[in-house]
Amino acid sequence: MRRILFVTTIIVSTLSVIGQPKHGGGPMIKKGIMGRVINTQTAQPVEYANVALFNSSDSSLVNGTVSNEKGFFQIDDVANGTYNMRIIFIGYQSHRVNKITISDDNPIIRFKALKLSPADVALDEVNVTARQEEVIYKIDKRVVNVSENIAAIGGTAVDALENTPGVEVDIDGNVSIRGSSNFTVLIDGKPTAMEGSEALQQIPASSIQEIEIITNPSAKYDPDGLTGILNIILKKDIKGGFNGIVSASVGNNDRYDASANLNYRKNKLNLVGGYSFRQGRHGGEGESHYKSYKEDDTLFRDEIGDRGRLRANHTIKAGIDYDFNDRNLLSVSGNYRIGERERFNESYYTSYSMLNPDPVRTFSEGKNTDEDNSYEISGVYVHKFEEKDHELRIMGTHSAEDDIEQAYTFMDTLTAEDTQTEETLTETIEDHAHTTMQADYTLPLGSNKLEAGAKSSFRKIDYQQSGDIFNPEPTMTANNFRYLEDIHAIYAMFSGPVGGFEYQLGIRGEYSRIETEQLSTNDRNVNEVLTVYPTLHVSYEINEANKLMAGYSRRVNRPRTYFLNPYEERSDAYTIRKGNPLLDPEYAHSIELNYLKYIGKAFVNTSVYYRQTDNKISRVQNIQNDNTILLTFDNVDKESSLGAELSGRNKFTKWLSINASYSFFRYTIDAVDNGLTKSYESFNHKVNGNANISFSRNASLQMFAMYYSPSVTSQGEREGFYFTGFGYKHMLLDRRLTVSARVRNPFGNFEWNFTSRGPGYENQFIRRPDFPVFYVGLTYRINEGFKRRNLQNGNGNGTSEDFNEGMTVD
């Protein structure tokens, strides 16, 4: 039997319950589906059963409702077509009806009694377990179910993604997708003040329901992010009355995590609120071996030392939903975050040369402290017209962040006869502000659909940077930098069926104006670009067990302010970082083909993709006359990635299931080095898997492991490495309380080895982070039930037969 993954709560309007007939009669519908849900054992009606209607061709969610106190339901205004229907409710087996056909000759379908069996009743060839898979594979995206991921206990979104096919995580928690770290992070479909891995490292896993990985987005999305979008769906609830989830965990090395997500709903009003705190310390020892080749000599510098970082965040969030009526909905939400971060390093250097083998020993110390406050406010208004799927959605967001960072470096030459001290202190004050306004319109045209919209984005960042050099000669430096970005876009998409295919054709036009200015020198740069971003998606369902989808999109990566800021900042005694304000955007063409096949209780998902990036922004290392390293950025490379991903799952028994994946891609860089073009190529592999063992309905064990193959960059290569881990979860008090524990890299055998090369130098870095990592945690559910409707995720992609928490059915 085909294995189907879904969850127990459907995103439906509570008003649909109010609108249900109070008996078997009620208002007559002109075209639709009506019926009654009863308990198969007692023949009593099942109230609040979730009824969902899906398009049989692409599994997109068409409509949904819930049964009333008599068990009756009805779904109105169903267009001609063929549908699948599912009825589910907590504590019951699900019931599915396939191939329901609505036509002018058969406009109303009636079901006299749809029977739900209690979950503790064994059915032939049916096995129900109250859990959702960690990764759900859909034809157009992958959904990482963080709420069921034991390996993410006490961690962040980074920990939840670590074992996901096509996603790589390095030693510092930086995330890349299919070999690239350039992606866009959305939270509930909205832009955030945080960027990329920085955002993922600050969001506690305990606050996340799931993460959508969309590698080839449609024209409705912003084109930013060469490898796509990570959309983080936070936990929300829709059950009437008061309910929520409270969790806390503690780990070794000053690691703490706590969160509370609460909800209160009554009639047309829904209130949500929450608080989260997370503190994490990461550290370890390292070494480096540097060589610099001169005409008549070779210089050597060996380093050994310790590095670490400590991050702490407090986040408060609140929101309100109000249903004026069944056609007008309003949602407003906001959050406020306080963050602190500290980075530190201590290193001992030994320098010598072939001609002068007597060593010079140096001690270096660095410390960065960072304090930031930020807030985000968003609102969305939805108007539904009388015609099914005819909708207007208006959304606005505003976010702001204030950040103060101090960087201190100290270097002391330990050789007695040549004592020399260098000491610097740099302070950076950053003010960020970002406002967006957008409107999305959807118009059904028979079996086709037209979507169009417009969006404007305004971003302003002010830097006030100052530096003090205390030794050897007191000096003051200052640099004020301003970044202004205006982007205006319009898009249109047309989709529908052609024969046995479904298509979606989109185009997005954008005008962008980016202005940078060094206020201290009156150096001003303006870059205006008018660009078109086409997208095309085609899908074909061979049958219920075989699905195909192909997609193309053009993407962009605008230079981050970190890359543009020309202020020189010393990160340690021998390294200086400087941005490049003349950087141009990167552009990428992405093509992807997906194939999803069900084989009995197992399934296999295969993806083949190709991505070409032009005008690639690369980190460039140059050796200065004083033997220091200058790190900067330039548009010097061209990058391509050709790869394949094979993922699968099999449930061997009622108590054992295994997920495994293999990712392969060929990574090619055409880099310009001293005016000459050189090609660098590597074949990269990633193997990961996890096994889930269910000891009982309330106890389960998860084991995971992953391996990353060696990789190449334009200035060096990285050796391979691997992770392992275990997690255990036990549910108590009628499954309201969950006790959990996890350990990451329990054997502590991890080493990060990277070698960079350039004209006249070679530098090898070796890092050994502090492992293992242990966490224990508690989670308590307060009257948890139906999930809150996510109005703000109006991206048109919450489409497939997915709910928000629930069961796996075979």
mmCIF file of all heavy atoms in Angstrom, residues 10-13 186-190 209-210 212 231-238 265 270 272 321 329-331 333 378 380 382 391 393 395 787-796 798 804:
data_model
loop_
_atom_site.group_PDB
_atom_site.id
_atom_site.type_symbol
_atom_site.label_atom_id
_atom_site.label_comp_id
_atom_site.label_asym_id
_atom_site.label_seq_id
_atom_site.Cartn_x
_atom_site.Cartn_y
_atom_site.Cartn_z
ATOM 1 N N ILE A 10 -5.677 20.315 10.184
ATOM 2 C CA ILE A 10 -5.832 20.995 8.895
ATOM 3 C C ILE A 10 -6.007 22.478 9.150
ATOM 4 O O ILE A 10 -6.629 22.868 10.127
ATOM 5 C CB ILE A 10 -7.049 20.430 8.135
ATOM 6 C CG1 ILE A 10 -7.146 21.048 6.757
ATOM 7 C CG2 ILE A 10 -8.328 20.609 8.895
ATOM 8 C CD1 ILE A 10 -8.230 20.464 5.901
ATOM 9 N N ILE A 11 -5.431 23.317 8.293
ATOM 10 C CA ILE A 11 -5.545 24.770 8.446
ATOM 11 C C ILE A 11 -6.873 25.182 7.844
ATOM 12 O O ILE A 11 -7.005 25.318 6.649
ATOM 13 C CB ILE A 11 -4.388 25.483 7.758
ATOM 14 C CG1 ILE A 11 -3.079 24.898 8.263
ATOM 15 C CG2 ILE A 11 -4.439 26.961 7.967
ATOM 16 C CD1 ILE A 11 -1.871 25.475 7.605
ATOM 17 N N VAL A 12 -7.869 25.294 8.686
ATOM 18 C CA VAL A 12 -9.212 25.647 8.224
ATOM 19 C C VAL A 12 -9.757 26.762 9.084
ATOM 20 O O VAL A 12 -9.344 26.955 10.218
ATOM 21 C CB VAL A 12 -10.180 24.438 8.272
ATOM 22 C CG1 VAL A 12 -9.768 23.384 7.279
ATOM 23 C CG2 VAL A 12 -10.258 23.872 9.648
ATOM 24 N N SER A 13 -10.704 27.471 8.598
ATOM 25 C CA SER A 13 -11.303 28.573 9.334
ATOM 26 C C SER A 13 -12.272 28.047 10.372
ATOM 27 O O SER A 13 -13.059 27.153 10.106
ATOM 28 C CB SER A 13 -12.052 29.494 8.369
ATOM 29 O OG SER A 13 -12.790 30.434 9.096
ATOM 30 N N LEU A 186 13.182 33.103 5.215
ATOM 31 C CA LEU A 186 11.896 33.710 5.533
ATOM 32 C C LEU A 186 11.385 33.098 6.832
ATOM 33 O O LEU A 186 11.680 31.945 7.146
ATOM 34 C CB LEU A 186 10.874 33.457 4.418
ATOM 35 C CG LEU A 186 11.228 33.944 3.008
ATOM 36 C CD1 LEU A 186 10.120 33.560 2.030
ATOM 37 C CD2 LEU A 186 11.471 35.431 2.979
ATOM 38 N N ILE A 187 10.631 33.874 7.579
ATOM 39 C CA ILE A 187 9.978 33.379 8.785
ATOM 40 C C ILE A 187 8.472 33.535 8.592
ATOM 41 O O ILE A 187 7.972 34.649 8.457
ATOM 42 C CB ILE A 187 10.451 34.131 10.042
ATOM 43 C CG1 ILE A 187 11.960 33.933 10.227
ATOM 44 C CG2 ILE A 187 9.690 33.650 11.268
ATOM 45 C CD1 ILE A 187 12.534 34.640 11.428
ATOM 46 N N ASP A 188 7.773 32.400 8.516
ATOM 47 C CA ASP A 188 6.344 32.394 8.204
ATOM 48 C C ASP A 188 6.062 33.135 6.900
ATOM 49 O O ASP A 188 5.099 33.885 6.782
ATOM 50 C CB ASP A 188 5.524 32.997 9.346
ATOM 51 C CG ASP A 188 5.465 32.084 10.558
ATOM 52 O OD1 ASP A 188 5.617 30.863 10.374
ATOM 53 O OD2 ASP A 188 5.289 32.586 11.676
ATOM 54 N N GLY A 189 6.945 32.958 5.918
ATOM 55 C CA GLY A 189 6.752 33.569 4.614
ATOM 56 C C GLY A 189 7.114 35.028 4.536
ATOM 57 O O GLY A 189 6.938 35.652 3.483
ATOM 58 N N LYS A 190 7.676 35.598 5.603
ATOM 59 C CA LYS A 190 7.995 37.020 5.636
ATOM 60 C C LYS A 190 9.497 37.223 5.699
ATOM 61 O O LYS A 190 10.217 36.406 6.265
ATOM 62 C CB LYS A 190 7.350 37.681 6.861
ATOM 63 C CG LYS A 190 5.849 37.532 6.951
ATOM 64 C CD LYS A 190 5.347 38.032 8.281
ATOM 65 C CE LYS A 190 5.893 37.193 9.425
ATOM 66 N NZ LYS A 190 5.395 37.625 10.741
ATOM 67 N N GLN A 209 8.086 24.788 14.111
ATOM 68 C CA GLN A 209 7.278 23.635 13.742
ATOM 69 C C GLN A 209 7.931 22.867 12.595
ATOM 70 O O GLN A 209 8.122 21.660 12.657
ATOM 71 C CB GLN A 209 5.867 24.074 13.326
ATOM 72 C CG GLN A 209 4.956 22.939 12.881
ATOM 73 C CD GLN A 209 4.629 21.974 14.003
ATOM 74 O OE1 GLN A 209 4.538 22.396 15.163
ATOM 75 N NE2 GLN A 209 4.472 20.713 13.684
ATOM 76 N N GLU A 210 8.277 23.579 11.531
ATOM 77 C CA GLU A 210 8.901 22.930 10.387
ATOM 78 C C GLU A 210 9.675 23.961 9.567
ATOM 79 O O GLU A 210 9.503 25.173 9.724
ATOM 80 C CB GLU A 210 7.857 22.243 9.500
ATOM 81 C CG GLU A 210 6.813 23.181 8.938
ATOM 82 C CD GLU A 210 5.666 22.455 8.262
ATOM 83 O OE1 GLU A 210 5.385 21.301 8.663
ATOM 84 O OE2 GLU A 210 5.057 23.035 7.346
ATOM 85 N N GLU A 212 10.690 24.717 5.501
ATOM 86 C CA GLU A 212 10.507 24.386 4.097
ATOM 87 C C GLU A 212 11.771 24.738 3.323
ATOM 88 O O GLU A 212 12.273 25.853 3.422
ATOM 89 C CB GLU A 212 9.319 25.144 3.513
ATOM 90 C CG GLU A 212 7.996 24.796 4.156
ATOM 91 C CD GLU A 212 6.844 25.611 3.603
ATOM 92 O OE1 GLU A 212 7.120 26.675 2.990
ATOM 93 O OE2 GLU A 212 5.684 25.211 3.764
ATOM 94 N N ASN A 231 12.160 28.575 4.410
ATOM 95 C CA ASN A 231 11.012 29.212 5.051
ATOM 96 C C ASN A 231 10.755 28.531 6.390
ATOM 97 O O ASN A 231 10.405 27.352 6.432
ATOM 98 C CB ASN A 231 9.778 29.121 4.160
ATOM 99 C CG ASN A 231 8.607 29.912 4.720
ATOM 100 O OD1 ASN A 231 8.794 30.852 5.483
ATOM 101 N ND2 ASN A 231 7.394 29.516 4.365
ATOM 102 N N ILE A 232 10.944 29.272 7.476
ATOM 103 C CA ILE A 232 10.806 28.728 8.823
ATOM 104 C C ILE A 232 9.380 28.959 9.309
ATOM 105 O O ILE A 232 8.929 30.107 9.413
ATOM 106 C CB ILE A 232 11.816 29.372 9.776
ATOM 107 C CG1 ILE A 232 13.243 29.092 9.286
ATOM 108 C CG2 ILE A 232 11.625 28.868 11.195
ATOM 109 C CD1 ILE A 232 14.309 29.798 10.077
ATOM 110 N N ILE A 233 8.671 27.873 9.576
ATOM 111 C CA ILE A 233 7.294 27.947 10.067
ATOM 112 C C ILE A 233 7.329 27.790 11.584
ATOM 113 O O ILE A 233 7.717 26.737 12.099
ATOM 114 C CB ILE A 233 6.411 26.860 9.433
ATOM 115 C CG1 ILE A 233 6.547 26.885 7.906
ATOM 116 C CG2 ILE A 233 4.965 27.039 9.865
ATOM 117 C CD1 ILE A 233 6.104 28.171 7.271
ATOM 118 N N LEU A 234 6.938 28.832 12.310
ATOM 119 C CA LEU A 234 6.945 28.791 13.765
ATOM 120 C C LEU A 234 5.695 28.103 14.291
ATOM 121 O O LEU A 234 4.674 28.014 13.602
ATOM 122 C CB LEU A 234 7.044 30.208 14.324
ATOM 123 C CG LEU A 234 8.286 31.006 13.904
ATOM 124 C CD1 LEU A 234 8.239 32.399 14.507
ATOM 125 C CD2 LEU A 234 9.566 30.289 14.301
ATOM 126 N N LYS A 235 5.772 27.627 15.518
ATOM 127 C CA LYS A 235 4.644 26.926 16.123
ATOM 128 C C LYS A 235 3.499 27.895 16.414
ATOM 129 O O LYS A 235 3.705 28.972 16.946
ATOM 130 C CB LYS A 235 5.082 26.248 17.420
ATOM 131 C CG LYS A 235 6.048 25.093 17.195
ATOM 132 C CD LYS A 235 6.480 24.474 18.505
ATOM 133 C CE LYS A 235 7.412 23.293 18.257
ATOM 134 N NZ LYS A 235 7.897 22.692 19.510
ATOM 135 N N LYS A 236 2.306 27.486 16.045
ATOM 136 C CA LYS A 236 1.097 28.282 16.270
ATOM 137 C C LYS A 236 -0.053 27.334 16.557
ATOM 138 O O LYS A 236 -0.003 26.161 16.204
ATOM 139 C CB LYS A 236 0.765 29.151 15.061
ATOM 140 C CG LYS A 236 1.936 30.003 14.572
ATOM 141 C CD LYS A 236 1.598 30.662 13.278
ATOM 142 C CE LYS A 236 2.813 31.376 12.719
ATOM 143 N NZ LYS A 236 3.824 30.435 12.217
ATOM 144 N N ASP A 237 -1.117 27.859 17.145
ATOM 145 C CA ASP A 237 -2.276 27.020 17.469
ATOM 146 C C ASP A 237 -3.565 27.730 17.101
ATOM 147 O O ASP A 237 -3.628 28.943 16.997
ATOM 148 C CB ASP A 237 -2.301 26.690 18.968
ATOM 149 C CG ASP A 237 -1.226 25.702 19.342
ATOM 150 O OD1 ASP A 237 -1.374 24.523 18.976
ATOM 151 O OD2 ASP A 237 -0.229 26.112 19.968
ATOM 152 N N ILE A 238 -4.619 26.918 16.904
ATOM 153 C CA ILE A 238 -5.921 27.482 16.558
ATOM 154 C C ILE A 238 -7.046 26.909 17.414
ATOM 155 O O ILE A 238 -8.202 27.205 17.223
ATOM 156 C CB ILE A 238 -6.235 27.229 15.071
ATOM 157 C CG1 ILE A 238 -7.439 28.053 14.631
ATOM 158 C CG2 ILE A 238 -6.442 25.758 14.786
ATOM 159 C CD1 ILE A 238 -7.727 27.947 13.152
ATOM 160 N N ARG A 265 -8.070 31.479 21.826
ATOM 161 C CA ARG A 265 -9.017 31.766 20.757
ATOM 162 C C ARG A 265 -10.439 31.728 21.298
ATOM 163 O O ARG A 265 -10.814 30.817 22.028
ATOM 164 C CB ARG A 265 -8.873 30.779 19.608
ATOM 165 C CG ARG A 265 -9.809 31.108 18.456
ATOM 166 C CD ARG A 265 -9.621 30.194 17.260
ATOM 167 N NE ARG A 265 -10.482 30.614 16.167
ATOM 168 C CZ ARG A 265 -10.143 31.475 15.219
ATOM 169 N NH1 ARG A 265 -8.933 32.012 15.237
ATOM 170 N NH2 ARG A 265 -10.981 31.808 14.262
ATOM 171 N N ASN A 270 -8.370 35.569 17.786
ATOM 172 C CA ASN A 270 -7.311 34.620 18.146
ATOM 173 C C ASN A 270 -6.084 35.412 18.595
ATOM 174 O O ASN A 270 -5.606 36.291 17.878
ATOM 175 C CB ASN A 270 -6.962 33.729 16.958
ATOM 176 C CG ASN A 270 -6.006 32.622 17.349
ATOM 177 O OD1 ASN A 270 -6.267 31.876 18.282
ATOM 178 N ND2 ASN A 270 -4.901 32.515 16.637
ATOM 179 N N VAL A 272 -2.068 35.192 20.162
ATOM 180 C CA VAL A 272 -0.902 34.331 20.351
ATOM 181 C C VAL A 272 0.192 35.135 21.041
ATOM 182 O O VAL A 272 0.268 36.363 20.913
ATOM 183 C CB VAL A 272 -0.376 33.783 19.007
ATOM 184 C CG1 VAL A 272 -1.396 32.901 18.345
ATOM 185 C CG2 VAL A 272 0.034 34.916 18.081
ATOM 186 N N ASP A 321 -5.229 37.637 15.425
ATOM 187 C CA ASP A 321 -5.987 37.359 14.206
ATOM 188 C C ASP A 321 -7.440 37.735 14.467
ATOM 189 O O ASP A 321 -7.992 37.437 15.541
ATOM 190 C CB ASP A 321 -5.931 35.875 13.833
ATOM 191 C CG ASP A 321 -4.514 35.400 13.567
ATOM 192 O OD1 ASP A 321 -3.662 36.244 13.256
ATOM 193 O OD2 ASP A 321 -4.272 34.182 13.678
ATOM 194 N N LEU A 329 -10.292 38.854 6.493
ATOM 195 C CA LEU A 329 -9.469 38.383 7.599
ATOM 196 C C LEU A 329 -8.308 39.349 7.807
ATOM 197 O O LEU A 329 -7.759 39.901 6.850
ATOM 198 C CB LEU A 329 -8.910 36.992 7.300
ATOM 199 C CG LEU A 329 -9.876 35.959 6.701
ATOM 200 C CD1 LEU A 329 -9.132 34.708 6.297
ATOM 201 C CD2 LEU A 329 -10.993 35.634 7.687
ATOM 202 N N LEU A 330 -7.903 39.557 9.064
ATOM 203 C CA LEU A 330 -6.792 40.441 9.394
ATOM 204 C C LEU A 330 -5.903 39.767 10.424
ATOM 205 O O LEU A 330 -6.395 39.177 11.385
ATOM 206 C CB LEU A 330 -7.309 41.768 9.953
ATOM 207 C CG LEU A 330 -6.240 42.778 10.404
ATOM 208 C CD1 LEU A 330 -5.424 43.265 9.206
ATOM 209 C CD2 LEU A 330 -6.880 43.962 11.134
ATOM 210 N N SER A 331 -4.600 39.859 10.211
ATOM 211 C CA SER A 331 -3.629 39.308 11.155
ATOM 212 C C SER A 331 -2.497 40.309 11.345
ATOM 213 O O SER A 331 -1.970 40.856 10.372
ATOM 214 C CB SER A 331 -3.071 37.980 10.644
ATOM 215 O OG SER A 331 -2.091 37.479 11.522
ATOM 216 N N SER A 333 1.174 40.782 13.761
ATOM 217 C CA SER A 333 2.090 40.111 14.682
ATOM 218 C C SER A 333 3.380 40.905 14.795
ATOM 219 O O SER A 333 3.688 41.759 13.946
ATOM 220 C CB SER A 333 2.403 38.684 14.200
ATOM 221 O OG SER A 333 3.059 38.716 12.947
ATOM 222 N N SER A 378 4.514 43.010 11.448
ATOM 223 C CA SER A 378 3.935 42.663 10.152
ATOM 224 C C SER A 378 2.417 42.584 10.259
ATOM 225 O O SER A 378 1.863 42.315 11.329
ATOM 226 C CB SER A 378 4.485 41.331 9.642
ATOM 227 O OG SER A 378 4.101 40.282 10.502
ATOM 228 N N VAL A 380 -1.198 41.465 7.700
ATOM 229 C CA VAL A 380 -1.726 40.948 6.439
ATOM 230 C C VAL A 380 -3.250 41.038 6.463
ATOM 231 O O VAL A 380 -3.887 40.745 7.477
ATOM 232 C CB VAL A 380 -1.258 39.503 6.182
ATOM 233 C CG1 VAL A 380 -1.686 38.570 7.286
ATOM 234 C CG2 VAL A 380 -1.778 39.008 4.844
ATOM 235 N N VAL A 382 -6.627 39.830 4.148
ATOM 236 C CA VAL A 382 -7.053 38.930 3.084
ATOM 237 C C VAL A 382 -8.529 39.173 2.793
ATOM 238 O O VAL A 382 -9.367 39.164 3.711
ATOM 239 C CB VAL A 382 -6.833 37.458 3.477
ATOM 240 C CG1 VAL A 382 -7.300 36.534 2.352
ATOM 241 C CG2 VAL A 382 -5.376 37.207 3.802
ATOM 242 N N GLU A 391 -8.973 35.871 -4.766
ATOM 243 C CA GLU A 391 -8.482 36.408 -3.505
ATOM 244 C C GLU A 391 -7.552 37.588 -3.732
ATOM 245 O O GLU A 391 -6.799 37.648 -4.704
ATOM 246 C CB GLU A 391 -7.739 35.302 -2.752
ATOM 247 C CG GLU A 391 -7.176 35.699 -1.404
ATOM 248 C CD GLU A 391 -6.444 34.560 -0.744
ATOM 249 O OE1 GLU A 391 -7.124 33.661 -0.186
ATOM 250 O OE2 GLU A 391 -5.206 34.536 -0.787
ATOM 251 N N ARG A 393 -4.667 39.711 -1.372
ATOM 252 C CA ARG A 393 -3.896 39.653 -0.134
ATOM 253 C C ARG A 393 -2.947 40.852 -0.099
ATOM 254 O O ARG A 393 -2.168 41.066 -1.034
ATOM 255 C CB ARG A 393 -3.103 38.348 -0.058
ATOM 256 C CG ARG A 393 -2.312 38.150 1.209
ATOM 257 C CD ARG A 393 -1.531 36.835 1.114
ATOM 258 N NE ARG A 393 -2.443 35.722 0.941
ATOM 259 C CZ ARG A 393 -2.898 34.970 1.933
ATOM 260 N NH1 ARG A 393 -2.529 35.237 3.174
ATOM 261 N NH2 ARG A 393 -3.717 33.971 1.704
ATOM 262 N N MET A 395 0.007 42.806 2.313
ATOM 263 C CA MET A 395 0.876 42.570 3.464
ATOM 264 C C MET A 395 1.936 43.661 3.563
ATOM 265 O O MET A 395 2.428 44.164 2.553
ATOM 266 C CB MET A 395 1.557 41.203 3.352
ATOM 267 C CG MET A 395 2.408 40.841 4.580
ATOM 268 S SD MET A 395 2.951 39.107 4.605
ATOM 269 C CE MET A 395 4.152 39.126 3.279
ATOM 270 N N LYS A 787 -4.293 23.651 14.991
ATOM 271 C CA LYS A 787 -3.254 24.644 14.770
ATOM 272 C C LYS A 787 -3.822 25.950 14.240
ATOM 273 O O LYS A 787 -4.804 25.980 13.519
ATOM 274 C CB LYS A 787 -2.241 24.091 13.763
ATOM 275 C CG LYS A 787 -1.509 22.878 14.311
ATOM 276 C CD LYS A 787 -0.692 23.255 15.501
ATOM 277 C CE LYS A 787 -0.047 22.050 16.137
ATOM 278 N NZ LYS A 787 0.682 22.367 17.317
ATOM 279 N N ARG A 788 -3.130 27.019 14.556
ATOM 280 C CA ARG A 788 -3.536 28.345 14.125
ATOM 281 C C ARG A 788 -3.332 28.527 12.631
ATOM 282 O O ARG A 788 -2.335 28.122 12.069
ATOM 283 C CB ARG A 788 -2.709 29.391 14.876
ATOM 284 C CG ARG A 788 -3.023 30.823 14.480
ATOM 285 C CD ARG A 788 -2.032 31.759 15.134
ATOM 286 N NE ARG A 788 -2.278 33.128 14.719
ATOM 287 C CZ ARG A 788 -1.325 34.003 14.495
ATOM 288 N NH1 ARG A 788 -0.077 33.651 14.583
ATOM 289 N NH2 ARG A 788 -1.613 35.232 14.141
ATOM 290 N N ARG A 789 -4.279 29.126 11.990
ATOM 291 C CA ARG A 789 -4.161 29.404 10.568
ATOM 292 C C ARG A 789 -3.021 30.370 10.324
ATOM 293 O O ARG A 789 -2.895 31.386 10.996
ATOM 294 C CB ARG A 789 -5.483 30.022 10.093
ATOM 295 C CG ARG A 789 -5.578 30.196 8.622
ATOM 296 C CD ARG A 789 -6.978 30.626 8.245
ATOM 297 N NE ARG A 789 -7.420 31.787 8.980
ATOM 298 C CZ ARG A 789 -8.451 31.775 9.800
ATOM 299 N NH1 ARG A 789 -9.126 30.673 10.006
ATOM 300 N NH2 ARG A 789 -8.830 32.875 10.420
ATOM 301 N N ASN A 790 -2.171 30.057 9.375
ATOM 302 C CA ASN A 790 -1.001 30.893 9.094
ATOM 303 C C ASN A 790 -1.320 31.830 7.936
ATOM 304 O O ASN A 790 -0.988 31.567 6.803
ATOM 305 C CB ASN A 790 0.204 30.011 8.760
ATOM 306 C CG ASN A 790 1.458 30.828 8.658
ATOM 307 O OD1 ASN A 790 1.443 32.028 8.906
ATOM 308 N ND2 ASN A 790 2.549 30.192 8.292
ATOM 309 N N LEU A 791 -1.991 32.944 8.225
ATOM 310 C CA LEU A 791 -2.378 33.871 7.172
ATOM 311 C C LEU A 791 -1.179 34.530 6.528
ATOM 312 O O LEU A 791 -1.215 34.898 5.363
ATOM 313 C CB LEU A 791 -3.292 34.965 7.749
ATOM 314 C CG LEU A 791 -4.606 34.479 8.374
ATOM 315 C CD1 LEU A 791 -5.343 35.689 8.935
ATOM 316 C CD2 LEU A 791 -5.458 33.756 7.364
ATOM 317 N N GLN A 792 -0.098 34.686 7.272
ATOM 318 C CA GLN A 792 1.005 35.481 6.763
ATOM 319 C C GLN A 792 1.887 34.697 5.808
ATOM 320 O O GLN A 792 2.718 35.249 5.136
ATOM 321 C CB GLN A 792 1.833 36.012 7.923
ATOM 322 C CG GLN A 792 0.947 36.726 8.928
ATOM 323 C CD GLN A 792 1.693 37.780 9.676
ATOM 324 O OE1 GLN A 792 2.695 38.282 9.228
ATOM 325 N NE2 GLN A 792 1.194 38.153 10.818
ATOM 326 N N ASN A 793 1.711 33.388 5.740
ATOM 327 C CA ASN A 793 2.493 32.604 4.802
ATOM 328 C C ASN A 793 1.744 32.499 3.494
ATOM 329 O O ASN A 793 1.442 31.429 3.008
ATOM 330 C CB ASN A 793 2.771 31.213 5.379
ATOM 331 C CG ASN A 793 3.773 30.461 4.556
ATOM 332 O OD1 ASN A 793 4.465 31.051 3.729
ATOM 333 N ND2 ASN A 793 3.840 29.159 4.772
ATOM 334 N N GLY A 794 1.377 33.625 2.945
ATOM 335 C CA GLY A 794 0.581 33.649 1.731
ATOM 336 C C GLY A 794 1.436 33.554 0.504
ATOM 337 O O GLY A 794 1.407 34.420 -0.358
ATOM 338 N N ASN A 795 2.220 32.480 0.379
ATOM 339 C CA ASN A 795 3.121 32.359 -0.750
ATOM 340 C C ASN A 795 2.652 31.369 -1.783
ATOM 341 O O ASN A 795 3.340 31.087 -2.735
ATOM 342 C CB ASN A 795 4.523 31.954 -0.267
ATOM 343 C CG ASN A 795 4.475 30.758 0.663
ATOM 344 O OD1 ASN A 795 3.661 29.862 0.473
ATOM 345 N ND2 ASN A 795 5.330 30.756 1.671
ATOM 346 N N GLY A 796 1.460 30.813 -1.589
ATOM 347 C CA GLY A 796 0.936 29.926 -2.590
ATOM 348 C C GLY A 796 1.598 28.578 -2.617
ATOM 349 O O GLY A 796 1.388 27.808 -3.539
ATOM 350 N N GLY A 798 1.808 26.402 0.355
ATOM 351 C CA GLY A 798 1.322 25.458 1.345
ATOM 352 C C GLY A 798 0.224 24.639 0.720
ATOM 353 O O GLY A 798 -0.923 24.703 1.117
ATOM 354 N N ASN A 804 -0.400 20.005 10.134
ATOM 355 C CA ASN A 804 0.663 20.575 10.952
ATOM 356 C C ASN A 804 1.151 19.723 12.109
ATOM 357 O O ASN A 804 2.059 20.131 12.780
ATOM 358 C CB ASN A 804 0.243 21.934 11.489
ATOM 359 C CG ASN A 804 0.430 22.999 10.467
ATOM 360 O OD1 ASN A 804 1.193 22.831 9.529
ATOM 361 N ND2 ASN A 804 -0.262 24.089 10.627
#
